[in-house]
Amino acid sequence: MTVAILALQGAFVEHAAMLDRLGADHFEIRQLRDLERPFDGLILPGGESTVMGKLLRDLGLFEPLREQIQAGLPVFGTCAGLILLAKTVEGGVPCFATLDISVKRNAYGRQLGSFYTEETCQDIGKIPMTFIRAPYIEAVSGDAQALATVEGKIVAARQNKQLVTAFHPELNQDLSVHQYFLNMIRA
Ligand code: GLN
């Protein structure tokens, strides 16, 4: 099994380190020709969703990746990656728009949006959650399901093979969210 990590900007190295610890093969997607290599799942990291959205289009990656996600490619988006997948974005522009959630960008305020907590994630258990200028999910619809909430706000969701977290599992030692994604790919 091989996981591709979008590596245009943001916290992609940290995801690679998690996959190394889990013994999963991975490579980075930086340009169109990287898509020639076969992969079974895709990680969209945290960073700045507006910048990543622009680079995806400028590099010609947007259309082919969107087609693959729509066709069922397992994808895991953290923070900005969550925003890239959301159909509705308050305070931003939708990018792939493949996931039936509406999300509020910088939802906790620009300065105070970074914090740490521990909460239960459905099917996973209690996990560390590090938030950095984070969005939250205002609503899920269609086949999308909320997996975790923090103080009444949805911070993780899943729809078929799409998994998103508003927090950054790659910034803590706990491997369980990445393990959950690998299980999604295998299933
Ligand atoms: N605030 C960023 C955005 O809107 C997301 C922050 C992050 O990924 N840590 O894209």
Side-chain angles (χ1 to χ4, degrees):
M1 181 211 300
T2 303
V3 178
I5 305 173
L6 187 70
L8 304 180
Q9 189 265 337
F12 51 89
V13 173
E14 291 81 356
H15 281 288
M18 300 300 266
L19 295 176
D20 281 337
R21 289 175 57 205
L22 287 165
D25 287 340
H26 57 84
F27 69 94
E28 293 176 356
I29 293 181
R30 294 175 175 273
Q31 52 191 322
L32 193 52
R33 72 157 185 258
D34 295 329
L35 296 184
E36 288 164 18
R37 227 167 126 175
F39 52 99
D40 309 294
L42 172 68
I43 291 180
L44 304 174
E48 202 52 47
S49 54
T50 47
V51 178
M52 272 194 264
K54 182 177 186 320
L55 289 171
L56 281 165
R57 283 197 162 79
D58 290 352
L59 294 164
L61 289 164
F62 172 77
E63 281 297 338
L65 285 179
R66 182 178 147 95
E67 271 170 32
Q68 289 193 56
I69 296 166
Q70 272 180 325
L73 174 74
V75 59
F76 174 24
T78 56
C79 202
L82 172 156
I83 295 169
L84 292 178
L85 292 168
K87 276 206 179 143
T88 309
V89 181
E90 188 185 326
V93 201
C95 182
F96 292 122
T98 50
L99 184 59
D100 288 315
I101 59 173
S102 65
V103 53
K104 186 175 159 87
R105 271 186 82 205
N106 299 312
Y108 298 93
R110 282 186 178 272
Q111 302 303 323
L112 301 171
S114 305
F115 60 97
Y116 174 86
T117 189
E118 289 174 14
E119 265 304 336
T120 303
C121 193
Q122 192 182 309
D123 300 331
I124 296 180
K126 196 166 186 176
I127 50 169
M129 297 181 178
T130 296
F131 293 82
I132 301 173
R133 293 181 302 110
Y136 60 65
I137 299 168
E138 290 181 299
V140 296
S141 59
D143 291 335
Q145 281 190 329
L147 294 182
T149 56
V150 170
E151 287 167 11
K153 308 296 187 197
I154 303 168
V155 296
R158 178 176 174 178
Q159 180 175 348
N160 303 320
K161 295 283 182 181
Q162 299 182 71
L163 173 69
V164 290
T165 62
F167 53 93
H168 291 266
E170 77 282 7
L171 298 183
N172 297 105
Q173 293 306 306
D174 187 291
L175 292 168
S176 52
V177 182
H178 287 76
Q179 182 65 66
Y180 180 86
F181 179 57
L182 297 183
N183 294 345
M184 268 173 64
I185 296 175
R186 281 194 199 98

